[in-house]
Coordinates of all heavy atoms in Angstrom, one line a residue:
M1 N 112.0 102.7 72.7 CA 111.9 104.0 73.2 C 113.3 104.5 73.7 O 114.0 103.8 74.3 CB 110.8 104.1 74.3 CG 110.6 105.5 74.8 SD 109.3 105.6 76.0 CE 108.2 106.6 75.2
N2 N 113.6 105.7 73.4 CA 114.8 106.3 73.8 C 114.9 106.4 75.3 O 114.0 106.9 75.9 CB 114.8 107.7 73.1 CG 115.9 108.7 73.5 OD1 116.4 108.6 74.6 ND2 116.2 109.6 72.6
P3 N 116.1 106.1 75.9 CA 116.2 106.2 77.3 C 116.0 107.6 77.9 O 115.4 107.7 79.0 CB 117.7 105.7 77.6 CG 118.0 104.9 76.4 CD 117.3 105.5 75.3
K4 N 116.4 108.6 77.2 CA 116.2 110.0 77.6 C 114.7 110.3 77.7 O 114.2 110.9 78.6 CB 116.9 111.0 76.8 CG 118.4 111.1 77.1 CD 119.0 112.3 76.3 CE 120.4 112.5 76.7 NZ 121.0 113.7 76.0
S5 N 114.0 109.8 76.7 CA 112.5 110.1 76.6 C 111.8 109.3 77.7 O 110.9 109.8 78.4 CB 111.9 109.6 75.3 OG 112.5 110.4 74.2
L6 N 112.3 108.1 78.0 CA 111.7 107.3 79.1 C 112.0 108.0 80.4 O 111.1 108.0 81.3 CB 112.3 105.9 79.1 CG 111.7 104.9 80.1 CD1 110.2 104.8 79.9 CD2 112.4 103.6 80.0
A7 N 113.2 108.5 80.6 CA 113.5 109.2 81.9 C 112.6 110.4 82.0 O 112.1 110.7 83.1 CB 115.0 109.5 81.9
A8 N 112.4 111.2 81.0 CA 111.6 112.4 81.0 C 110.2 112.1 81.3 O 109.5 112.7 82.1 CB 111.7 113.2 79.7
L9 N 109.7 111.0 80.7 CA 108.3 110.6 80.9 C 108.1 110.1 82.4 O 107.1 110.4 83.0 CB 107.9 109.4 80.0 CG 106.5 108.9 80.1 CD1 105.5 110.0 79.8 CD2 106.3 107.7 79.1
T10 N 109.1 109.4 82.9 CA 109.0 108.9 84.3 C 109.0 110.1 85.2 O 108.2 110.1 86.2 CB 110.2 108.0 84.6 OG1 110.2 106.9 83.7 CG2 110.2 107.5 86.0
L11 N 109.9 111.1 85.0 CA 109.9 112.3 85.9 C 108.6 113.1 85.8 O 108.1 113.6 86.8 CB 111.1 113.2 85.5 CG 112.5 112.7 86.0 CD1 113.6 113.6 85.4 CD2 112.5 112.6 87.5
A12 N 108.1 113.2 84.6 CA 106.8 113.9 84.4 C 105.7 113.2 85.1 O 104.8 113.8 85.8 CB 106.5 114.1 82.9
A13 N 105.6 111.9 85.0 CA 104.6 111.1 85.7 C 104.7 111.2 87.2 O 103.7 111.2 88.0 CB 104.6 109.6 85.3
A14 N 105.9 111.3 87.7 CA 106.2 111.3 89.2 C 105.8 112.7 89.7 O 105.5 112.9 90.9 CB 107.6 111.0 89.5
A15 N 105.8 113.7 88.9 CA 105.5 115.1 89.3 C 104.0 115.4 89.3 O 103.6 116.4 89.9 CB 106.2 116.1 88.4
V16 N 103.2 114.5 88.7 CA 101.8 114.8 88.7 C 101.2 114.7 90.1 O 101.5 113.7 90.8 CB 101.1 113.7 87.8 CG1 99.6 113.9 87.9 CG2 101.6 113.9 86.4
P17 N 100.5 115.7 90.5 CA 100.0 115.6 91.9 C 98.9 114.6 92.1 O 98.2 114.2 91.1 CB 99.3 117.0 92.1 CG 99.0 117.5 90.7 CD 100.1 116.9 89.8
L18 N 98.8 114.1 93.3 CA 97.7 113.1 93.6 C 96.4 113.8 93.6 O 96.3 115.0 93.9 CB 98.0 112.4 95.0 CG 99.3 111.6 95.1 CD1 99.4 111.1 96.5 CD2 99.2 110.4 94.1
V19 N 95.4 113.0 93.3 CA 94.0 113.6 93.3 C 93.2 112.7 94.3 O 93.5 111.5 94.5 CB 93.4 113.6 91.9 CG1 94.1 114.5 91.0 CG2 93.3 112.2 91.3
S20 N 92.2 113.3 94.8 CA 91.3 112.5 95.7 C 90.0 112.3 94.9 O 89.7 113.0 93.9 CB 91.0 113.2 97.0 OG 90.4 114.5 96.7
A21 N 89.2 111.3 95.3 CA 88.0 111.0 94.7 C 87.1 112.2 94.8 O 87.4 113.1 95.7 CB 87.3 109.8 95.3
G22 N 86.0 112.3 94.1 CA 85.2 113.5 94.1 C 84.2 113.7 95.1 O 83.0 113.5 94.9
P23 N 84.6 114.0 96.4 CA 83.6 114.3 97.4 C 82.7 115.4 97.1 O 81.5 115.4 97.4 CB 84.4 114.5 98.7 CG 85.7 114.9 98.2 CD 85.9 114.2 96.9
I24 N 83.2 116.4 96.4 CA 82.3 117.6 96.1 C 81.3 117.2 95.0 O 80.2 117.6 95.1 CB 83.2 118.8 95.7 CG1 84.0 119.3 96.9 CG2 82.3 119.9 95.1 CD1 85.0 120.3 96.6
A25 N 81.8 116.5 94.0 CA 80.9 116.0 93.0 C 79.9 115.1 93.5 O 78.7 115.2 93.1 CB 81.7 115.3 91.9
Y26 N 80.2 114.3 94.5 CA 79.2 113.4 95.1 C 78.2 114.2 95.9 O 77.0 113.9 95.8 CB 80.0 112.4 96.1 CG 79.1 111.4 96.8 CD1 78.3 110.5 96.0 CD2 79.1 111.3 98.1 CE1 77.5 109.6 96.7 CE2 78.3 110.4 98.8 CZ 77.5 109.5 98.1 OH 76.8 108.6 98.7
A27 N 78.6 115.2 96.6 CA 77.7 116.0 97.3 C 76.7 116.8 96.4 O 75.5 116.9 96.7 CB 78.4 117.0 98.2
I28 N 77.2 117.3 95.3 CA 76.4 118.0 94.3 C 75.4 117.0 93.7 O 74.2 117.3 93.5 CB 77.3 118.6 93.2 CG1 78.1 119.8 93.8 CG2 76.4 119.1 92.0 CD1 79.2 120.3 92.9
C29 N 75.9 115.8 93.4 CA 75.0 114.8 92.8 C 73.9 114.4 93.8 O 72.7 114.3 93.4 CB 75.8 113.5 92.4 SG 74.9 112.3 91.5
Q30 N 74.2 114.2 95.1 CA 73.2 113.9 96.1 C 72.2 115.0 96.2 O 71.0 114.8 96.4 CB 73.9 113.6 97.4 CG 74.5 112.3 97.5 CD 75.0 112.0 98.9 OE1 75.4 112.9 99.6 NE2 74.8 110.7 99.3
T31 N 72.6 116.3 96.2 CA 71.7 117.4 96.3 C 70.8 117.4 95.1 O 69.6 117.6 95.3 CB 72.5 118.7 96.2 OG1 73.4 118.7 97.4 CG2 71.6 119.9 96.3
G32 N 71.2 117.0 93.9 CA 70.3 116.9 92.8 C 69.3 115.8 93.0 O 68.1 116.0 92.6
C33 N 69.8 114.7 93.5 CA 68.8 113.6 93.8 C 67.8 114.0 94.8 O 66.6 113.7 94.6 CB 69.6 112.3 94.4 SG 70.7 111.5 93.2
N34 N 68.2 114.7 95.8 CA 67.2 115.1 96.8 C 66.2 116.1 96.3 O 65.0 116.1 96.6 CB 67.9 115.7 98.1 CG 68.6 114.6 98.9 OD1 68.1 113.4 98.9 ND2 69.7 114.9 99.5
S35 N 66.7 117.0 95.4 CA 65.8 118.0 94.7 C 64.8 117.3 93.9 O 63.6 117.6 93.9 CB 66.6 118.9 93.9 OG 67.5 119.6 94.6
L36 N 65.2 116.2 93.2 CA 64.2 115.5 92.4 C 63.2 114.7 93.3 O 62.0 114.6 92.9 CB 64.9 114.5 91.5 CG 65.8 115.1 90.4 CD1 66.6 114.0 89.6 CD2 64.9 115.9 89.4
A37 N 63.7 114.2 94.4 CA 62.8 113.6 95.4 C 61.7 114.5 95.9 O 60.6 114.2 96.0 CB 63.6 112.9 96.5
V38 N 62.2 115.8 96.2 CA 61.2 116.8 96.7 C 60.2 117.1 95.6 O 59.0 117.2 95.9 CB 62.0 118.1 97.1 CG1 61.0 119.2 97.3 CG2 62.8 117.8 98.3
V39 N 60.6 117.2 94.4 CA 59.6 117.4 93.3 C 58.7 116.2 93.1 O 57.5 116.4 92.9 CB 60.4 117.7 91.9 CG1 59.5 117.7 90.8 CG2 61.2 119.0 92.0
C40 N 59.2 115.0 93.2 CA 58.4 113.8 93.1 C 57.3 113.8 94.3 O 56.2 113.5 94.0 CB 59.3 112.6 93.2 SG 58.4 111.0 93.0
Y41 N 57.8 114.1 95.5 CA 56.8 114.1 96.6 C 55.8 115.2 96.4 O 54.6 115.0 96.7 CB 57.6 114.4 97.9 CG 58.0 113.2 98.7 CD1 59.0 112.3 98.2 CD2 57.5 112.9 100.0 CE1 59.4 111.2 98.9 CE2 58.0 111.8 100.7 CZ 58.9 111.0 100.1 OH 59.3 109.9 100.9
S42 N 56.2 116.3 95.9 CA 55.2 117.4 95.7 C 54.2 117.0 94.6 O 53.0 117.4 94.8 CB 56.0 118.7 95.3 OG 56.8 119.2 96.3
A43 N 54.7 116.4 93.6 CA 53.8 115.9 92.5 C 52.8 114.9 93.1 O 51.6 114.8 92.6 CB 54.6 115.3 91.4
A44 N 53.2 114.2 94.1 CA 52.2 113.2 94.7 C 51.4 113.8 95.8 O 50.5 113.1 96.3 CB 53.1 112.0 95.3
G45 N 51.6 115.1 96.1 CA 50.8 115.8 97.1 C 51.3 115.7 98.5 O 50.5 115.9 99.4
F46 N 52.6 115.4 98.7 CA 53.1 115.2 100.0 C 54.4 116.1 100.2 O 54.9 116.7 99.2 CB 53.6 113.8 100.2 CG 52.4 112.8 100.3 CD1 51.9 112.2 99.2 CD2 51.8 112.5 101.5 CE1 50.9 111.3 99.2 CE2 50.7 111.7 101.6 CZ 50.3 111.0 100.4
T47 N 54.8 116.2 101.4 CA 56.0 117.0 101.7 C 57.1 116.0 102.0 O 57.0 115.1 102.8 CB 55.8 117.9 102.9 OG1 54.7 118.8 102.6 CG2 57.1 118.7 103.2
F48 N 58.3 116.2 101.4 CA 59.4 115.3 101.5 C 59.8 115.2 103.0 O 60.0 116.3 103.6 CB 60.6 115.7 100.6 CG 61.8 114.8 100.6 CD1 61.7 113.6 100.1 CD2 63.0 115.3 101.2 CE1 62.8 112.7 100.1 CE2 64.1 114.4 101.1 CZ 64.0 113.2 100.6
G49 N 60.0 114.0 103.5 CA 60.5 113.9 104.9 C 59.4 113.8 106.0 O 59.7 113.7 107.1
T50 N 58.1 113.9 105.5 CA 57.0 113.9 106.5 C 56.2 112.7 106.5 O 55.2 112.5 107.3 CB 56.1 115.1 106.4 OG1 55.5 115.1 105.1 CG2 56.9 116.4 106.5
V51 N 56.4 111.7 105.6 CA 55.6 110.6 105.4 C 56.3 109.4 106.1 O 57.4 109.0 105.8 CB 55.4 110.2 103.9 CG1 54.5 109.0 103.7 CG2 54.7 111.4 103.2
A52 N 55.6 108.7 107.0 CA 56.1 107.5 107.7 C 56.1 106.3 106.7 O 55.1 106.2 105.9 CB 55.2 107.2 108.9
A53 N 57.1 105.6 106.7 CA 57.3 104.4 105.8 C 56.1 103.4 105.8 O 55.7 103.0 104.7 CB 58.6 103.7 106.1
P54 N 55.6 103.0 107.0 CA 54.5 102.1 107.0 C 53.2 102.6 106.3 O 52.4 101.8 105.8 CB 54.3 101.7 108.4 CG 55.5 102.2 109.1 CD 56.1 103.3 108.3
A55 N 53.0 103.9 106.4 CA 51.8 104.5 105.8 C 52.0 105.1 104.5 O 51.1 105.8 104.0 CB 51.3 105.6 106.8
A56 N 53.1 104.9 103.8 CA 53.4 105.6 102.6 C 52.6 104.9 101.4 O 52.6 103.7 101.3 CB 54.9 105.5 102.3
P57 N 52.0 105.8 100.6 CA 51.3 105.2 99.4 C 52.3 104.8 98.3 O 53.5 105.1 98.4 CB 50.5 106.4 99.0 CG 51.1 107.6 99.5 CD 51.8 107.2 100.8
A58 N 51.8 104.2 97.3 CA 52.7 103.6 96.3 C 53.5 104.7 95.6 O 54.6 104.5 95.2 CB 51.8 102.9 95.2
A59 N 52.9 105.9 95.4 CA 53.6 107.0 94.7 C 54.9 107.4 95.5 O 55.9 107.7 95.0 CB 52.7 108.2 94.5
I60 N 54.7 107.4 96.8 CA 55.9 107.8 97.7 C 56.9 106.7 97.7 O 58.1 107.0 97.7 CB 55.4 108.1 99.1 CG1 54.5 109.3 99.1 CG2 56.6 108.3 100.1 CD1 55.0 110.6 98.5
L61 N 56.5 105.5 97.7 CA 57.4 104.3 97.6 C 58.2 104.4 96.3 O 59.4 104.1 96.2 CB 56.7 103.0 97.7 CG 56.0 102.7 99.1 CD1 55.3 101.4 99.1 CD2 57.1 102.8 100.2
A62 N 57.5 104.8 95.2 CA 58.2 105.0 93.9 C 59.2 106.1 94.0 O 60.3 106.0 93.4 CB 57.2 105.2 92.8
C63 N 58.8 107.2 94.6 CA 59.8 108.3 94.8 C 61.0 107.9 95.6 O 62.1 108.2 95.2 CB 59.1 109.5 95.5 SG 57.8 110.3 94.6
N64 N 60.8 107.1 96.6 CA 61.9 106.6 97.4 C 62.8 105.7 96.6 O 64.0 105.7 96.8 CB 61.4 105.9 98.7 CG 60.8 106.9 99.7 OD1 61.1 108.1 99.6 ND2 60.1 106.4 100.6
A65 N 62.2 104.8 95.8 CA 63.0 103.9 95.0 C 63.8 104.7 94.0 O 65.0 104.4 93.8 CB 62.0 102.9 94.3
G66 N 63.2 105.7 93.4 CA 64.0 106.6 92.5 C 65.1 107.3 93.2 O 66.2 107.4 92.6
L67 N 64.8 107.7 94.4 CA 65.9 108.4 95.2 C 67.1 107.4 95.4 O 68.2 107.8 95.3 CB 65.3 109.0 96.5 CG 66.3 109.6 97.4 CD1 67.0 110.9 96.7 CD2 65.6 110.0 98.7
G68 N 66.7 106.2 95.8 CA 67.7 105.2 96.0 C 68.6 104.9 94.8 O 69.8 104.8 94.9
L69 N 67.9 104.8 93.7 CA 68.7 104.6 92.4 C 69.6 105.7 92.1 O 70.7 105.6 91.6 CB 67.7 104.3 91.3 CG 67.0 103.0 91.3 CD1 65.9 102.9 90.2 CD2 68.0 101.8 91.1
C70 N 69.1 106.9 92.3 CA 69.8 108.1 92.0 C 71.1 108.2 92.9 O 72.2 108.5 92.4 CB 69.0 109.4 92.2 SG 69.7 110.9 91.6
M71 N 70.9 107.9 94.2 CA 72.0 108.0 95.1 C 73.0 106.9 94.8 O 74.2 107.1 94.9 CB 71.5 107.7 96.6 CG 70.7 108.9 97.1 SD 71.7 110.3 97.4 CE 70.5 111.3 98.3
T72 N 72.5 105.7 94.3 CA 73.5 104.7 93.9 C 74.3 105.1 92.7 O 75.5 104.8 92.6 CB 72.7 103.4 93.6 OG1 71.9 103.0 94.8 CG2 73.6 102.2 93.2
A73 N 73.6 105.7 91.8 CA 74.3 106.2 90.6 C 75.4 107.3 91.0 O 76.5 107.3 90.4 CB 73.3 106.8 89.6
C74 N 75.0 108.1 91.9 CA 76.0 109.1 92.4 C 77.3 108.4 93.0 O 78.4 108.8 92.7 CB 75.4 110.0 93.5 SG 74.2 111.2 92.9
A75 N 77.0 107.4 93.8 CA 78.1 106.7 94.4 C 79.0 106.0 93.4 O 80.2 105.9 93.5 CB 77.6 105.7 95.5
A76 N 78.3 105.4 92.4 CA 79.0 104.7 91.3 C 79.8 105.6 90.4 O 80.8 105.1 89.8 CB 78.0 103.8 90.5
T77 N 79.4 106.8 90.2 CA 80.1 107.7 89.3 C 80.9 108.8 89.9 O 82.1 109.0 89.6 CB 79.1 108.3 88.3 OG1 78.1 109.0 89.0 CG2 78.4 107.2 87.4
A78 N 80.3 109.5 90.8 CA 80.9 110.7 91.3 C 82.1 110.4 92.3 O 83.1 111.2 92.4 CB 79.9 111.6 92.1
L79 N 82.0 109.3 93.0 CA 83.1 109.0 93.9 C 84.4 108.5 93.3 O 85.4 108.5 93.9 CB 82.6 108.0 95.0 CG 81.7 108.5 96.0 CD1 81.2 107.4 96.9 CD2 82.3 109.6 96.8
I80 N 84.3 108.1 92.0 CA 85.5 107.6 91.3 C 86.0 108.7 90.4 O 87.1 108.5 89.8 CB 85.2 106.3 90.5 CG1 84.2 106.5 89.5 CG2 84.9 105.2 91.5 CD1 84.0 105.3 88.5
A81 N 85.3 109.8 90.2 CA 85.8 110.9 89.4 C 86.9 111.6 90.1 O 86.8 112.2 91.1 CB 84.7 111.8 89.1
P82 N 88.1 111.6 89.5 CA 89.2 112.3 90.1 C 89.1 113.8 90.0 O 88.8 114.4 89.0 CB 90.5 111.9 89.3 CG 89.9 111.4 88.0 CD 88.5 111.0 88.2
I83 N 89.2 114.5 91.1 CA 89.2 115.9 91.2 C 90.4 116.4 92.0 O 90.6 116.0 93.1 CB 87.9 116.4 92.0 CG1 86.7 115.9 91.1 CG2 87.9 117.9 92.2 CD1 85.4 116.3 91.8
P84 N 91.2 117.2 91.3 CA 92.5 117.6 92.0 C 92.2 118.5 93.2 O 91.2 119.1 93.4 CB 93.2 118.4 90.9 CG 92.3 118.6 89.8 CD 91.1 117.8 90.0

């Protein structure tokens, strides 16, 4: 590679602004997960956030498991997505 091209490439790479991980994307993803959990609870005949864990029926436990998987997927994908 030509030294001038290498110098230009180095300067261009140094000028690129830093980005932070995607906290906004993560928040949007979590909101989507919570919306799906509300729909799941409603389909089971309950209101999200009002069922005590020890008394939760199987349908609610399944909703909670789905919510946990969704939140995990958000953390695994949205937090590593660079957003300037």
Side-chain angles (χ1 to χ4, degrees):
M1 182 177 244
N2 171 333
K4 280 188 174 184
S5 297
L6 184 58
L9 180 61
T10 302
L11 286 174
V16 173
L18 294 176
V19 296
S20 60
I24 294 172
Y26 181 58
I28 292 169
C29 188
Q30 283 188 323
T31 301
C33 290
N34 287 329
S35 297
L36 292 174
V38 168
V39 170
C40 185
Y41 268 65
S42 294
F46 292 91
T47 302
F48 184 65
T50 62
V51 179
I60 297 303
L61 295 177
C63 291
N64 288 344
L67 178 61
L69 288 172
C70 188
M71 293 288 190
T72 301
C74 287
T77 56
L79 287 177
I80 60 170
I83 296 177

